[in-house]
Amino acid sequence: MIPMVDLKAQYRQIKVEVEQGLQQVLEEAHFILGPNVQAFEQEAAEYLGAKHAISCASGTDALHLALAAAGIKAGDEVITSPFTFIATAEAICYLGAKPVFVDIDPHTFNIDIEQIEPAITANTRAILPVHLFGQPVNMEPLLAIAQKHRLKVIEDCAQSFGAEIGGRRTGTFGDAGCFSFFPSKNLGCFGDGGMITTQSDEMAGKLRVLRNHGSKQRYHHSVIGYNSRLDEMQAVILRAKLKRITAYNEGRRAAAHIYTRQLSGVPGITPPREDGRGTHVYHQYTLLTDNRDTIMQALGDAQISCAIYYPIPLHRQEVFAQQYRDVPLPVSESVAERCLSLPIYPELESEQIHTIVDVIKTHAPG
Ligand SMILES: *Cc1c(COP(=O)(O)O)cnc(C)c1O
């Protein structure tokens, strides 16, 4: 059996360190916003090259809090990708704002920068690019559009911890970068967790207040905030994994490159393409094929996991379908019908990749 991600293998490498750290937390009993949370925020900010890192309870909360701190409110429009996890759009909707979906680039699956400007209206307040599957969005032209129209930029970095472009890591380009530490993410904890990065002192201050009941000083509340904090025990786990994140991401890249070498030229299979601008950290290895059902069946028969990220673009989801029924986004719709994600994680061995590739080659349409 080859899983999509092998969290047990990763745990074995950090077991001693994590268990010692957890024991210490239990003994010291400083559970909320304790010393490990504080240390993790500093270490993560340093690794990412961000001025501030503010942890919170999930990636969804990170997006919600960042949009709130950026002043997004009811009636505003936020331009984003339809080819992403639902949380990207949910966070916009929590504030009464409207997600405006623009189509994606067929090679990177990221938002098509060319289509952003035509989607801007008098109500547009922000752009929310998603560094999908770990490949950084081409931020330079996106930031130029944002600057020209005075729009905020909130990056969804849930899948791109450590990815960089032009020597800068994702999460340091926009007004805020939003990370998820859901267990299967490139940097994952053992439950839910999230974080926002920002270069702005003002934004950081607002975020620290928002995540903690609108309070800077205990029992003094300046705004209606939220209860959205990273757990002290999750911070212990994240600190252990953060030390190893470069090796984890390199392991993913190495695995991806073996796949791509083996799958290039296989008829009916389009391996994912790196746009050559940045460092793709392969949260997912997602190819395109017209023979998806057959390949999925064959992989399943061979005890190999695979998954469809994502089967339905957001504008075609039941919750948005009515609102967007006249909005065709043909690239996202076509990619959703043909995409297939294969197992990828740092510990995936090259023999396992060869086994997976053999099954695909045998069942490719050519
Ligand atoms: C995982 C994910 C989120 C949400 O993160 P949670 O921690 O699960 O709330 C948001 N956006 C994208 C693109 C994701 O992959």
Side-chain angles (χ1 to χ4, degrees), residues 124-342:
T124 309
R125 294 287 173 270
I127 308 173
L128 204 176
V130 182
H131 304 290
L132 197 76
F133 301 149
Q135 172 138 261
V137 170
N138 185 8
M139 290 304 288
E140 205 178 290
L142 187 146
L143 290 170
I145 294 166
Q147 198 164 26
K148 180 171 159 199
H149 297 272
R150 295 167 197 247
L151 305 176
K152 300 280 186 187
V153 175
I154 308 296
E155 297 171 68
D156 185 336
C157 308
Q159 304 187 359
S160 69
F161 195 101
E164 52 180 78
I165 177 166
R168 268 169 78 186
R169 295 217 154 97
T170 59
T172 62
F173 291 92
D175 295 278
C178 303
F179 293 84
S180 164
F181 303 128
F182 186 81
S184 61
K185 298 291 159 86
N186 287 35
L187 179 65
C189 58
F190 296 169
D192 279 304
M195 185 177 78
I196 308 125
T197 48
T198 180
Q199 307 301 100
S200 150
D201 298 344
E202 189 196 342
M203 186 91 171
K206 282 186 187 168
L207 288 165
R208 289 191 190 283
V209 165
L210 277 178
R211 73 159 171 194
N212 195 26
H213 298 291
S215 163
K216 198 183 268 179
Q217 190 189 347
R218 206 175 233 192
Y219 305 121
H220 292 66
H221 306 276
S222 51
V223 293
I224 292 295
Y226 302 89
N227 175 355
S228 182
R229 296 165 303 214
L230 182 71
D231 187 274
E232 182 72 3
M233 293 203 252
Q234 302 302 344
V236 166
I237 294 146
L238 289 166
R239 290 183 75 192
K241 290 200 185 181
L242 179 62
K243 286 185 197 159
R244 299 160 170 90
I245 189 68
T246 302
Y248 293 159
N249 281 339
E250 277 170 6
R252 286 174 178 273
R253 281 175 58 72
H257 294 154
I258 299 174
Y259 269 129
T260 296
R261 268 199 305 278
Q262 305 269 321
L263 288 169
S264 295
V266 175
I269 302 288
T270 310
R273 205 187 293 177
E274 292 188 21
D275 68 7
R277 270 187 212 95
T279 309
H280 191 327
V281 293
Y282 288 96
H283 173 61
Q284 297 297 344
Y285 185 88
T286 302
L287 52 75
L288 296 179
T289 174
D290 292 323
N291 218 27
R292 187 166 72 182
D293 290 347
T294 310
I295 292 174
M296 287 187 81
Q297 180 72 44
L299 288 170
D301 291 346
Q303 303 286 304
I304 296 162
S305 304
C306 60
I308 301 175
Y309 300 124
Y310 294 93
I312 306 171
L314 299 189
H315 67 296
R316 295 290 180 243
Q317 292 288 346
E318 188 182 347
V319 59
F320 291 126
Q322 191 61 21
Q323 197 179 352
Y324 296 90
R325 67 182 181 281
D326 301 325
V327 184
L329 299 170
V331 180
S332 346
E333 288 160 30
S334 154
V335 168
E337 283 173 9
R338 297 184 298 137
C339 59
L340 178 64
S341 301
L342 302 178

